[in-house]
Amino acid sequence: MESRIERLLELLNLFIGADRPVTVDRVRARVPGYPEARASFQRQFERDKAEIKAMGLPLETVEIPGTYPVEIGYRIVRDAAHLRDPGLEPDERAALSLAASAV
């Protein structure tokens, strides 16, 4: 079973990497770790969206152009998803880089 963090990372990857807004059905098909039951999936998906927004990522809900009836999709604009510079000193950046390469 997928962990919550793995599911959130998969969801973020899907939202940021998409060339058009992602529908709920596509989320269900592409992101492992969600419950099978529609109502349970919807509750978990709503919690995940709230968590993404709480992280400060600009998750947008938009109408998908050219769909009838109108479909709703989700996206994170890649340029808006960058984290702010934390102001690390050169030695702190080097230590962080070393730790990341060890993983």
Side-chain angles (χ1 to χ4, degrees):
M1 177 176 229
E2 297 281 321
S3 74
R4 178 181 61 86
I5 300 225
E6 289 172 317
R7 187 182 63 248
L8 284 171
L9 287 173
E10 290 281 344
L11 192 58
L12 286 170
N13 187 46
L14 182 62
F15 288 153
I16 292 173
D19 56 348
R20 60 182 277 157
V22 179
T23 64
V24 171
D25 290 335
R26 187 163 176 214
V27 170
R28 284 190 83 176
R30 301 280 309 267
V31 179
Y34 279 109
E36 290 294 320
R38 185 91 176 157
S40 297
F41 163 82
Q42 194 62 43
R43 285 190 300 272
Q44 185 62 58
F45 182 56
E46 292 300 322
R47 285 191 295 266
D48 288 348
K49 289 190 312 182
E51 189 156 349
I52 288 170
K53 290 176 183 178
M55 286 186 247
L57 292 166
L59 178 62
E60 298 177 350
T61 303
V62 296
E63 291 183 358
I64 299 176
T67 60
Y68 183 82
V70 173
E71 288 187 64
I72 299 298
Y74 303 91
R75 69 178 176 200
I76 296 174
V77 177
R78 190 172 304 191
D79 292 340
H82 295 290
L83 298 175
R84 65 174 176 74
D85 182 358
L88 297 176
E89 298 295 324
D91 60 331
E92 294 170 321
R93 285 195 302 271
L96 188 58
S97 178
L98 179 62
S101 67
V103 175

